[in-house]
């Protein structure tokens, strides 16, 4: 039976609605995006036209960089108020990086218990340190007597030059200058007393810092991996593998830095110390020890401590000897900057010499001597950690391979890397497509 025209149109409209609903269900099932409203699409298009792509990218980078700089600034500001804790802990970390290979050797090769290996290492380290300081102290005590006599002779020569030279100062003029200096000391006695009291508190802080260094060093050598796993377990489970691998690589970078810097400091100390000994500069051995300690500040340390040798050569042996000593110091400093730093330090920690100099300069501006001392190892560790995380190094790291029992014995319970999910990563805030491998 043929339906009326109105009913046929109603039936056709009903079938069209059903087909449209079925197609919509299919699109939702396969994840096809729903069609946007024309008004919203036009608004987004107008916004994109108003803000060019380069401006949006620059704005995205700008606010992220601002947040990073603010976070770093607040962290440095907070750490500056607890330097009594931070500096000893940082020194202990550097010493642990130096001594941990010895502890590992005694545990693996000599089959020492971990506690016994740490005890033997600490006793040997303290014995070497006390013995070296006692030898240096004896040399200082014997060398200062002759140096004091030479200094008095130099002062008398200066007085004679002031009296007979172009200035023509008489003994009465010199006495008046000396009396004025004494009066200035009397007038500023309160300032001098407060400075002495501040030195007393500084000495107390120094003793407390030394004790903190020793205790921190013992526990870092004994329970270093366990302490690291404690902090790693505070992170979300999916981030633990990356944090564990990055921390392991960063620690290895710091160990390499300490070893190489120890070698560089030894070369600097031998070069300047032997040069001072050949030139007859007094206190050559204490000068070598001073240069060795100062050389742990890369590039700048040897030059600053070497200036003490130049001053002693000037006081003891005259300006010609001091000029030769200055040439020796400059030669050693240039050898460190152009040979040792690029060839040895650069390969060990993957840092350009310019980056080392800039790190030392920036660290000294922000934190003084401690900042200059810790700037380069902090930069080396940060460089290694950032590269590891950026390259997703934990995905192919043998540290997470269950077939390496040596690593398991060294680092304790293994932290497994998270499984990869099939869910796509969300789009970046700047609208770019996500990385397919992320």
């Amino acid at each position: 039976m043929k339906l009326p025209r109105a009913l046929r149109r109603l039936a056709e409209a009903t079938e069209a609605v059903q087909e449209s609903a079925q197609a919509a269900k299919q699109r939702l099932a396969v994840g096809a995006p729903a069609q946007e409203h024309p008004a919203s699409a036009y608004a987004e298009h107008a916004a994109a036209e108003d803000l060019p792509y380069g401006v949006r990218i620059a704005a995205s980078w700008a606010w992220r960089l601002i947040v990073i700089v603010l976070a770093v600034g607040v962290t440095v500001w907070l750490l500056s108020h607890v330097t009594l804790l931070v500096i000893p802990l940082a020194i202990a970390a550097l010493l642990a990086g130096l001594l941990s290979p010895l502890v590992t050797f005694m545990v693996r090769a000599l089959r020492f218990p971990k506690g016994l290996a740490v005890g033997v290492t600490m006793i040997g380290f303290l014995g070497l340190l006390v013995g070296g300081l006692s030898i240096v102290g004896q040399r200082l005590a014997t060398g200062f007597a002759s140096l004091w006599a030479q200094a008095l002779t130099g002062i008398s020569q200066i007085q004679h030059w002031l009296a007979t030279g172009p200035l023509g100062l008489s003994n009465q003029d010199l006495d008046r200058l000396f009396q004025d200096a004494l009066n200035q000391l009397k007038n500023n006695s309160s300032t001098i007393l407060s400075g002495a009291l501040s030195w007393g508190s500084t000495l107390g802080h120094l003793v407390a810092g030394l004790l903190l260094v020793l205790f921190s060093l013992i526990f870092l050598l004994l329970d270093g991996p366990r302490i690291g796993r404690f902090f790693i377990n505070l992170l979300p489970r999916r981030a633990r593998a990356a944090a564990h691998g990055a921390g392991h690589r960063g620690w290895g970078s710091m160990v390499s830095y300490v070893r190489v810097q120890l070698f560089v400091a030894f070369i600097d100390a031998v070069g300047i110390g032997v040069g001072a000994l050949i030139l007859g500069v007094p206190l050559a051995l204490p000068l070598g020890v001073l240069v060795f300690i100062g050389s742990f500040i890369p590039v700048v340390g040897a030059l600053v401590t070497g200036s003490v040798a130049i001053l002693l050569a000037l006081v003891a042996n005259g300006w010609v000897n001091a000029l030769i000593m200055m040439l020796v110091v400059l030669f050693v400093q240039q050898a460190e900057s152009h040979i040792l730093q690029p060839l040895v330090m650069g390969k060990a920690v993957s840092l350009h010499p310019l980056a080392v100099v800039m790190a030392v300069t920036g660290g000294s501006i922000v934190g003084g001597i401690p900042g200059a001392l810790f700037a380069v190892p902090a930069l080396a560790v940060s460089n290694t950690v950032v590269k590891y995380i950026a390259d997703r190094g934990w995905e192919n790291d043998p540290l997470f391979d269950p077939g390496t029992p040596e690593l398991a014995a060294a680092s304790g319970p293994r932290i497994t890397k998270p499984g990869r999910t099939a869910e796509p990563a969300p789009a970046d805030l700047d609208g770019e497509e996500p990385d397919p491998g992320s």
Side-chain angles (χ1 to χ4, degrees):
M1 184 178 62
K2 188 175 182 181
L3 295 176
R5 181 179 300 177
L7 292 178
R8 285 200 308 270
R9 290 181 178 178
L10 179 61
E12 291 173 358
T14 304
E15 292 178 358
V17 170
Q18 291 177 352
E19 291 177 357
S20 177
Q22 187 67 24
K25 290 181 180 180
Q26 292 178 357
R27 285 198 303 269
L28 292 176
V30 299
Q35 187 176 2
E36 296 182 354
H37 193 274
S40 61
Y42 176 77
E44 292 182 0
H45 178 72
E49 290 295 330
D50 292 339
L51 289 177
Y53 180 76
V55 175
R56 289 188 285 122
I57 293 296
S60 300
W61 275 100
W63 74 261
R64 289 174 172 85
L65 291 177
I66 290 173
V67 170
I68 292 173
V69 170
L70 287 177
V72 172
V74 171
T75 303
V76 172
W77 179 78
L78 291 175
L79 293 178
S80 65
H81 288 75
V82 288
T83 53
L84 184 59
L85 297 177
V86 175
I87 294 177
L89 185 60
I91 295 175
L94 291 179
L95 292 177
L98 177 64
L99 299 177
S100 59
L102 181 59
V103 175
T104 303
F105 171 77
M106 285 191 287
V107 170
R108 294 183 182 178
L110 304 181
R111 303 297 180 183
F112 278 20
K114 188 69 173 291
L116 180 60
V118 172
V120 171
T121 302
M122 289 297 300
I123 292 174
F125 173 71
L126 292 177
L128 181 64
L129 185 63
V130 172
L133 290 178
S134 63
I135 294 175
V136 171
Q138 292 177 358
R139 294 297 181 92
L140 284 174
T142 56
F144 265 122
S146 60
L147 185 63
W148 179 252
Q150 293 174 348
L152 291 178
T153 303
I155 292 174
S156 63
Q157 292 177 356
I158 292 174
Q159 290 178 345
H160 179 72
W161 179 80
L162 290 174
T164 60
L167 297 178
L169 297 178
S170 62
N171 291 332
Q172 293 179 354
D173 296 331
L174 295 175
D175 291 339
R176 186 168 59 254
L177 292 174
F178 184 72
Q179 189 64 36
D180 292 340
L182 289 178
N183 293 332
Q184 289 292 331
L185 289 177
K186 292 178 181 179
N187 295 331
N188 297 315
S189 58
S190 60
T191 305
I192 296 173
L193 180 61
S194 63
L197 293 177
S198 66
W199 273 102
S201 63
T202 302
L203 182 62
H205 290 167
L206 181 62
V207 173
L210 289 176
L211 293 177
L212 286 175
V213 168
L214 291 178
F215 280 108
S216 302
L217 178 59
I218 291 173
F219 287 110
L220 285 177
L221 292 175
L222 189 62
D223 293 327
R226 186 183 305 173
I227 295 172
R229 288 194 299 272
F230 169 78
F231 288 104
I232 290 172
N233 289 332
L234 298 177
L235 300 175
R237 186 175 298 274
R238 293 188 62 184
R240 292 176 186 175
H244 183 59
H248 188 268
R249 292 294 183 89
W251 178 258
S253 178
M254 191 176 70
V255 171
S256 300
Y257 167 80
V258 175
R259 289 180 182 176
V260 172
Q261 194 59 40
L262 182 68
F263 172 74
V264 173
F266 176 76
I267 296 298
D268 291 342
V270 169
I272 295 179
V274 171
L277 184 63
I278 294 175
L279 294 176
V281 178
L283 306 176
L285 180 60
L287 279 175
V289 175
L290 179 64
V291 172
F292 177 79
I293 297 174
S295 295
F296 278 92
I297 301 176
V299 181
V300 182
L303 184 62
V304 174
T305 53
S307 62
V308 180
I310 300 172
L311 181 61
L312 288 177
L314 178 62
V315 173
N317 301 331
W319 67 271
V320 177
N321 192 273
L323 182 61
I324 299 175
M325 188 69 233
M326 183 179 68
L327 294 177
V328 171
V329 171
L330 291 177
F331 174 77
V332 172
Q333 194 272 338
Q334 291 297 314
E336 176 189 355
S337 301
H338 294 88
I339 299 177
L340 296 179
Q341 288 289 342
L343 297 181
V344 181
M345 180 66 73
K347 292 182 179 180
V349 297
S350 300
L351 291 179
H352 193 273
L354 180 60
V356 173
V357 174
M358 296 301 292
V360 172
T361 305
S364 61
I365 293 174
V366 175
I369 295 178
L373 178 62
F374 301 122
V376 178
L379 181 61
V381 172
S382 301
N383 181 47
T384 303
V385 168
V386 170
K387 283 185 176 180
Y388 184 88
I389 295 177
D391 296 338
R392 304 181 67 89
W394 65 92
E395 295 179 351
N396 300 310
D397 197 336
L399 182 67
F400 304 104
D401 185 4
T404 54
E406 295 82 1
L407 290 174
S411 58
R414 187 167 305 281
I415 298 176
T416 58
K417 57 184 178 182
R420 299 292 298 274
T421 62
E423 298 179 0
D428 295 340
L429 294 180
D430 53 11
E432 293 181 344
E433 290 296 327
D435 186 4
S438 60

